[in-house]
Amino acid sequence: MRLEPVWVEVILGGVGPVAVHGDSGDVGLRAPLTGAQTRAGLGPLVAEVEGAVDGAGWRLTWSITNSSDHPEAVRAVRVGCAVIDPDGPLGFWSHGYQSWSPSGTRRYGVDIDSSHLGHTPRLLRAMHHADEDRAEPGELRSELVCALTDHHGSVTVVGFLGGSRHDGTFRLGPSKEVDRPVDPLRPAPADRPATLVAEAFLGGALLGPGEDRDLHTVVATVGDDVHELLVGWARSMGAASGARTSSPFQVGWCPPRRGDATTSEPALRELVAAAERQAWPFATVRVGDGYQANVGDWLHTAEGFTSSLDVLAADIAAAGFEPGITISPFLVARASDVAQANPDGIARWFTGGAPLVGMFDSRWGGTVYTLDTSNPEVLDHLEHVGRSFAEAGFRQLRVDFTSAPTSGGRYHDPSLTPAQRVRAGLDAIRRGIGDEVLLIGSGVPFGAAVGVVDATQTGPNAHPSWEHDAVAFPTYEGYARAKPSVRHAVAAAISRSFQHRTLWSNDPDCFVLEAETDLMSSAEVRIWSDVVAGTGTAAMASGDLLHLTSDDRRRFEEVVARGRESDAAARAGSPARAAGLLDADDVARLVVADGELVVDLSTGKAELVPVP
């Protein structure tokens, strides 16, 4: 099997309820690639594509120019690659869009893109895909990087070497050379030739007359070991994007998400005092989301927190721990002081003046809205928020729900792509906190985060239950693996181990200190601890420090010691190895010092298999 770039295409048009991909609002213009260099006129745009053989793979650089005398909305630019001489069915390792979006192997001609399973709302699709519209019939999608294999066993990894200027999506679907319709609710016909499309998704960004835009380079590498190929791609991506990979190994504690310490300062202080009294070796204590007066008013505390933020940070530091805190900086409640003071700072729905919904969360009173991170006043506000936390003494800032500005809508600057809106907001926060405060992304589009965050959460929040709580976290068919649970956090931490110390420091989320809980068996708690230790990414724990045993303490210290060893190996160029990435999704395999940890995700059981 080999991939050969054969055509370039531009999709003109915006996003939204009228200009939806595949409808009359979009215009697709295609031209063949004619050699090592192609310059193609595609209506009002000119695409330039240059390809070069790179070992057993290839490298493609490309750009577009608006040659007209008026602005043009560009939804996407694509290069189609013919899948030539596949040996049997194709396996497609698909990478998720953001921290909570799952990765895993799909089978061409067997599986269906998640967007076609059930009646998924637009907001959910916008969270988990660069393009919030449903996939094309028969198509499977991957974001930023993908892997393709067949029965022959060789693997081709294809990835973008950047994500700050635009998103990058791969689409494996039926070749358009065969003019035969495909049912969107069924897999692609297995006998239909396949095309892998590399898509620079611009999301309807306006290009001015004469404007040139360089697109992120795409590379393809071929080999037998998918893990090594992904590590190699991540190193190249990190080098091209200025990845921040040198942050310290994190050892710390955050309050239980279901406990009072998230909304009550006395409860939090009681646990911090217990950590100091018991001399827990935490470097960091992270205050959870719940302290704030309102979503958006992150610098003001709620009724349950009577101390100011600088007092709270100073008291945590006095107890011997670096203070950290979690915020969702791109979301805002309508009743917040921030929204009332600057209503023009909120992005809007495509038509009318309704604010653009960013999330619905019962903890926040329901619907919250999206800040317009293309607005200079909003960026000034975000920089001020970051600077205020740094000046208050916080040394770690975890930013959550950061995919919000990728949703389609009306923004102050229509020339920015969704990826640029996310990156602008993250850059503003980084300017505020400086380089010494650790910035952790959560729910963050991976491509836009490289080079600005120090760490990134690898998967969904590790809600302290093996399966996700269907009452607390209602789900939709096709997106169940994105819901908070330890099962999903384990799968993501293993599958994304190649990103650690190549793109950033991985953050698997907090593991459970107690030996067992009312929602997790001792075996499930042990699996999560072993995965955190084996991936060597961070040792952030969560638990009730008032009711722990000496065995709980020993297990924590074991996780830290083993995690430091794994992290040292990653620093030396060997991040933890995920075995069987191209296997079925119900089993996760992690190579550890004593062999291979094989986790049955469907049962919450694991065994350590010796490796010769």
Side-chain angles (χ1 to χ4, degrees):
M1 178 195 69
R2 62 188 177 88
L3 297 177
E4 181 179 328
V6 293
W7 50 258
V8 60
E9 180 181 58
V10 168
I11 308 294
L12 299 177
V15 296
V18 177
V20 174
H21 178 63
D23 289 350
S24 59
D26 284 347
V27 178
L29 303 165
R30 181 181 298 184
L33 297 179
T34 56
Q37 291 183 309
T38 298
R39 179 180 173 87
L42 300 170
L45 301 184
V46 174
E48 295 193 33
V49 183
E50 182 174 348
V53 175
D54 188 358
W58 44 262
R59 172 181 293 257
L60 183 148
T61 57
W62 48 337
S63 65
I64 53 170
T65 302
N66 180 4
S67 60
S68 74
D69 58 1
H70 56 272
E72 286 288 347
V74 181
R75 184 184 184 90
V77 188
R78 297 171 168 178
V79 165
C81 304
V83 182
I84 298 174
D85 296 330
D87 181 8
L90 294 172
F92 185 58
W93 186 80
S94 172
H95 186 246
Y97 178 53
Q98 50 113 319
S99 308
W100 311 327
S101 310
S103 294
T105 296
R106 315 237 182 117
R107 295 158 296 171
Y108 178 73
V110 176
D111 293 318
I112 300 174
D113 188 86
S114 298
S115 64
H116 287 298
L117 297 174
H119 300 285
T120 55
R122 175 181 168 277
L123 178 62
L124 185 64
R125 299 198 307 268
M127 286 176 60
H128 294 294
H129 306 281
D131 183 351
E132 61 204 47
D133 288 340
R134 300 183 192 276
E136 294 183 21
E139 182 179 76
L140 300 173
R141 285 185 286 185
S142 182
E143 307 288 353
L144 194 62
V145 64
C146 69
L148 198 62
T149 189
D150 60 10
H151 277 175
H152 184 267
S154 65
V155 181
T156 301
V157 165
V158 192
F160 286 82
L161 295 187
S164 60
R165 296 195 291 269
H166 58 78
D167 292 301
T169 298
F170 293 98
R171 301 172 179 266
L172 180 65
S175 170
K176 298 295 178 63
E177 303 304 318
V178 178
D179 187 16
R180 192 166 70 242
V182 177
D183 185 344
L185 300 182
R186 295 182 179 274
D191 61 347
R192 183 87 166 257
T195 299
L196 182 71
V197 175
E199 176 183 81
F201 185 72
L202 278 67
L206 282 183
L207 270 66
E211 181 179 353
D212 296 315
R213 290 212 186 185
D214 290 332
L215 306 175
H216 292 299
T217 298
V218 181
V219 295
T221 55
V222 181
D224 298 323
D225 188 326
V226 63
H227 170 81
E228 290 300 327
L229 291 173
L230 287 170
V231 170
W233 165 79
R235 287 185 182 132
S236 298
M237 166 73 170
S241 303
R244 301 170 65 97
T245 59
S246 60
S247 62
F249 180 77
Q250 294 299 301
V251 179
W253 174 86
C254 57
R257 286 191 172 96
R258 300 176 70 212
D260 293 338
T262 58
T263 56
S264 167
E265 182 180 340
L268 176 63
R269 285 184 176 276
E270 184 179 23
L271 294 177
V272 173
E276 179 184 18
R277 184 172 62 252
Q278 299 167 14
W280 279 87
F282 304 139
T284 300
V285 165
R286 185 192 298 163
V287 178
D289 170 15
Y291 77 88
Q292 71 277 359
N294 211 332
V295 173
D297 294 335
W298 307 108
L299 300 179
H300 304 287
T301 54
E303 291 182 1
F305 281 77
T306 57
S307 297
S308 62
L309 287 173
D310 55 348
V311 169
L312 189 61
D315 289 347
I316 292 173
F321 312 113
E322 284 193 343
I325 199 163
T326 293
I327 66 173
S328 300
F330 303 156
L331 296 176
V332 60
R334 180 177 287 184
S336 67
D337 291 344
V338 168
Q340 295 300 310
N342 185 14
D344 291 338
I346 300 175
R348 300 289 162 174
W349 182 241
F350 300 98
T351 56
L356 183 64
V357 174
M359 184 54 55
F360 180 91
D361 195 316
S362 58
R363 298 172 307 153
W364 295 336
T367 300
V368 293
Y369 301 106
T370 302
L371 279 182
D372 184 349
T373 52
S374 76
N375 187 322
E377 292 185 5
V378 169
L379 298 180
D380 289 344
H381 159 74
L382 292 172
E383 183 174 343
H384 168 71
V385 169
R387 182 174 298 107
S388 297
F389 278 114
E391 292 175 348
F394 289 94
R395 310 311 300 159
Q396 185 183 108
L397 184 62
R398 180 176 175 268
V399 289
D400 214 347
F401 292 97
T402 41
S403 65
T406 66
S407 291
R410 288 193 289 117
Y411 291 85
H412 175 83
D413 185 349
S415 72
L416 296 190
T417 68
Q420 287 175 319
R421 294 195 294 264
V422 172
R423 185 55 177 255
L426 292 174
D427 281 341
I429 293 170
R430 172 59 76 187
R431 288 193 299 272
I433 64 174
D435 286 329
E436 301 306 315
V437 175
L438 193 75
L439 183 60
I440 303 171
S442 178
V444 65
F446 286 122
V450 182
V452 64
V453 301
D454 299 290
T456 295
Q457 193 165 309
T458 54
N461 290 345
H463 182 76
S465 59
W466 185 257
E467 299 290 349
H468 87 269
D469 185 336
V471 176
F473 305 104
T475 190
Y476 291 86
E477 186 180 3
Y479 296 90
R481 290 191 300 142
K483 289 298 179 182
S485 78
V486 170
R487 170 181 176 168
H488 301 149
V490 164
I494 293 175
S495 67
R496 291 180 176 140
S497 59
F498 69 92
Q499 297 175 348
H500 184 50
R501 301 294 182 192
T502 54
L503 299 179
W504 41 59
S505 294
N506 279 0
D507 179 359
D509 201 21
C510 298
F511 67 97
V512 179
L513 279 175
E514 294 90 344
E516 61 182 315
T517 72
D518 57 341
L519 295 175
M520 291 182 68
S521 69
S522 58
E524 292 164 349
V525 169
R526 185 78 229 188
I527 289 171
W528 187 214
S529 300
D530 287 343
V531 168
V532 170
T535 52
T537 53
M540 291 292 295
S542 180
D544 183 355
L545 300 174
L546 301 177
H547 301 95
L548 297 177
T549 68
S550 57
D551 287 342
D552 297 331
R553 175 70 169 256
R554 281 192 292 271
R555 184 166 54 84
F556 172 79
E557 292 173 347
E558 175 191 341
V559 170
V560 172
R562 290 169 53 202
R564 288 190 186 279
E565 292 176 359
S566 300
D567 182 57
R571 287 178 182 273
S574 298
R577 170 180 287 273
L581 278 178
L582 298 174
D583 295 343
D585 289 339
D586 56 354
V587 174
R589 295 159 50 196
L590 177 68
V591 176
V592 294
D594 302 328
E596 189 173 286
L597 182 68
V598 181
V599 182
D600 187 331
L601 297 170
S602 62
T603 65
K605 297 179 180 179
E607 63 175 329
L608 185 63
V609 179
V611 176

